[in-house]
Every structure is written in structure tokens, then in C-alpha cells.
Amino acid sequence: MPEPNKPVLEGLAVGGLVAVLETSYSGLVGAWTPPNPDDLEGEIPNIELSGLLGHGSMGAVYRARQTQLERDVAVKILRPDLSENPEFVERFRREARSAANLRHPNIITIHDFGASPSGVLYIVMEQVEGADLAALISESRLPLDSALQIATAVCEALQHAHEAGLVHRDLKPSNILIGTDEQVVLSDFGIVT
């Protein structure tokens, strides 16, 4: 157990970490409101958006239907004002390519990637019915057996990614999806290296 008033992560160069984060996210100034699904109608081929699932500093994720294949999917878009920034465009492309090349039951499946005629960058991916781990933790304490099952599944996903030469770099409860069938899925490979 750490001593009171002693940093838990001794030796971590916090100033350096903050500088890296400030440099990496310097283009993310100010809050933004994701577009309404109706405003994106017709932007993504063969996709009908039905609702916003969530959003963060770089993009938004929508509940959708892939009409030609008649399956439910999730669609992530890059924040429109970041579509002009080559660094963020490359990160978004890297996320799509990296996750698309990983085949594992505990890693989100990527179905498509592209840019609409108006420049909206999107990723079409598996839709996981359920909640993210952050939401589950905020609702109640997880039973030990559930926590161990989730941790094991995440470790297996990370091991698979590492064997493919990829480091996730954004492991946090909101990027761990828990399906209604208790399937654990690691998502958001946006800052993978």
C-alpha cells in the first residue's frame, strides 16, 4: 500500500507526459456537438444512422443499419473540424487499418472505412449491444468473478494486438465494451502504435 502523500507512480515524468498529451491533442480546443443523425443522411453509402451512442474529443459513434447486408452496426465519424488536420486524419485511418487487421473475439470488428463526398471520415464497425465498462462500474461494484472474466478477456485482446506489433495506448473502462451476452470487446484503436 502506498504511503500517504507519496506518488503511486514514482519515476513517472509527469511533466513529459503532460507535454506529449498537450502536443497530441492541441487541435482539440473547445467542446463540440456531434451532428444529428438526420444531418448525416446519405453521407455514408448503404448506412442509415438511427441515434448517437456517444462522443468524445475526436469523434462520435452512432447506432446504424448497414442496409445492403441488413445488419446493425456502429459508425464512428471523425470530428468534422479535425478532418482538415493531417495528423488526426492519419490517426483515424490508422485506427481503421489496425483494428481491421486484428481478428479476435475480444477486439472490435471493422467492416468498412471511407470518406463521404463532403469529406466526413467514417469507420463502420461491429455494434456491441450492452454497455461500456465505465458505465457498469458507475452503476455498481462488479462481482469478483465478472471483474476477472473482463480482465482476462482484455489481456487476451491486448496479447493478440501485441503479437501483431500493435500497442493500444488508450486502455480505459470506456473503451471496453461488455455485451448483453457478456462478450468483452476492446475498442478505440485511435492512438495505437
Side-chain angles (χ1 to χ4, degrees), residues 71-175:
R71 68 176 167 190
D72 294 328
V73 294
V75 174
K76 182 176 188 176
I77 66 164
L78 181 64
R79 186 171 144 172
D81 60 316
L82 297 180
S83 296
E84 303 299 318
N85 182 321
E87 179 184 347
F88 288 102
V89 170
E90 180 51 33
R91 280 186 189 181
F92 200 71
R93 285 191 175 122
R94 188 176 338 130
E95 174 179 4
R97 280 191 307 260
S98 298
N101 288 313
L102 296 172
R103 299 278 185 263
H104 192 275
N106 301 114
I107 294 177
I108 197 85
T109 300
I110 303 297
H111 300 305
D112 195 12
F113 167 79
S116 75
S118 68
V120 175
L121 290 173
Y122 62 87
I123 299 172
V124 179
M125 65 188 115
E126 161 188 18
Q127 181 177 301
V128 178
E129 287 295 336
D132 64 44
L133 183 57
L136 294 177
I137 292 170
S138 71
E139 291 172 7
S140 66
R141 194 171 179 161
L142 287 177
L144 180 59
D145 60 334
S146 295
L148 289 173
Q149 179 215 352
I150 293 167
T152 300
V154 170
C155 287
E156 289 172 359
L158 291 172
Q159 178 66 31
H160 183 76
H162 293 176
E163 288 170 358
L166 300 173
V167 178
H168 188 278
R169 293 183 52 214
D170 197 17
L171 186 61
K172 59 186 176 186
S174 60
N175 288 340

